[in-house]
Amino acid sequence: MGRRRRGVMSESFKEELAKDLGFYDTVQREGWGGIRSRDAGNMTKRAVEIAQQQLTGQNQNRH
């Protein structure tokens, strides 16, 4: 059966990023398609920063 592939970021994580970056109201009004490409880029950039911080923290715990 074809289970839909989930995106890399969970919906709740994307919502948190949108709140942090100040365009969550747009998401609520218009959905994800309503955000500007610049906002989407900033969201991706922030997600990468968070992931790198988590990886760095995990690596430090191993040493």
Side-chain angles (χ1 to χ4, degrees), residues 8-9 13 17 43-59:
V8 175
M9 291 190 272
F13 182 58
L17 289 173
M43 197 169 87
T44 302
K45 184 176 165 188
R46 184 71 187 118
V48 169
E49 288 171 357
I50 291 168
Q52 286 175 333
Q53 288 169 357
Q54 289 174 345
L55 287 173
T56 302
Q58 288 173 359
N59 289 338

Side-chain angles (χ1 to χ4, degrees), residues 2-63:
R3 253 182 22 169
R4 259 185 84 210
R5 260 185 92 203
R6 291 190 44 170
V8 175
M9 291 190 272
S10 72
E11 194 68 20
S12 59
F13 182 58
K14 289 193 298 190
E15 288 173 1
E16 285 301 315
L17 289 173
K19 287 174 188 172
D20 289 347
L21 296 170
F23 56 86
Y24 184 64
D25 56 332
T26 303
V27 174
Q28 286 185 304
R29 275 196 321 271
E30 304 173 33
W32 291 107
I35 67 172
R36 297 177 306 190
S37 56
R38 187 173 133 214
D39 290 333
N42 288 338
M43 197 169 87
T44 302
K45 184 176 165 188
R46 184 71 187 118
V48 169
E49 288 171 357
I50 291 168
Q52 286 175 333
Q53 288 169 357
Q54 289 174 345
L55 287 173
T56 302
Q58 288 173 359
N59 289 338
Q60 287 175 348
N61 291 337
R62 289 185 188 154
H63 295 295

